[in-house]
Amino acid sequence: MKIERQETKARMSRIVKHNGTIYLCGQVCKDATQGITEQTATMLEKVDELLIQAGSDREHILSATIYVSDMKYFADMNAVWDAWVPEGHAPARACVEAKMAREALLVEISVVAAEKA
């Protein structure tokens, strides 16, 4: 089976497609000076953009792993997440507290999705 990599750099590819499955690299917010609500919203906007680029959308997300810098952000992050996920299309999901690559980052997500037919 062919593996397709998009926006590949030395360390990672932003999108990897294989056998009808799309893997996105970890996505963070557009502006790390913002709070958790804004960081989560812009992070999910980036996921939307990459899914469309890869031939998918949020209704086709299979799984998501969300990393928050502190579980005190869990409820506020979930409020944005819950409004973003289409009803009836909730993916398998995990959410863990993790040290981020940069201190200002509060949330990151890794997504696996199916290609749209």
Side-chain angles (χ1 to χ4, degrees), residues 60-102:
H60 288 78
I61 296 174
L62 302 171
S63 70
T65 304
I66 301 171
Y67 308 91
V68 291
S69 63
D70 190 308
M71 277 299 175
K72 69 183 180 185
Y73 299 124
F74 187 71
D76 290 335
M77 178 279 299
N78 271 329
V80 177
W81 170 264
D82 291 344
W84 181 79
V85 173
E87 186 174 339
H89 296 278
R93 190 189 102 162
C95 183
V96 298
E97 183 176 286
K99 186 171 176 80
M100 298 293 165
R102 292 179 308 177

Side-chain angles (χ1 to χ4, degrees), residues 10-97:
R11 186 169 292 153
M12 67 185 157
S13 297
R14 288 190 74 191
I15 300 169
V16 176
K17 294 169 72 172
H18 178 260
N19 201 24
T21 304
I22 298 162
Y23 304 86
L24 302 183
C25 70
Q27 296 300 305
V28 297
C29 63
K30 293 179 180 178
D31 180 358
T33 66
Q34 300 294 312
I36 188 64
T37 299
E38 297 82 5
Q39 285 198 27
T40 303
T42 62
M43 172 189 75
L44 294 174
E45 286 173 12
K46 289 170 69 177
V47 169
D48 276 331
E49 293 165 7
L50 289 173
L51 288 173
I52 290 167
Q53 179 180 329
S56 190
D57 59 27
R58 63 177 91 158
E59 290 185 359
H60 288 78
I61 296 174
L62 302 171
S63 70
T65 304
I66 301 171
Y67 308 91
V68 291
S69 63
D70 190 308
M71 277 299 175
K72 69 183 180 185
Y73 299 124
F74 187 71
D76 290 335
M77 178 279 299
N78 271 329
V80 177
W81 170 264
D82 291 344
W84 181 79
V85 173
E87 186 174 339
H89 296 278
R93 190 189 102 162
C95 183
V96 298
E97 183 176 286

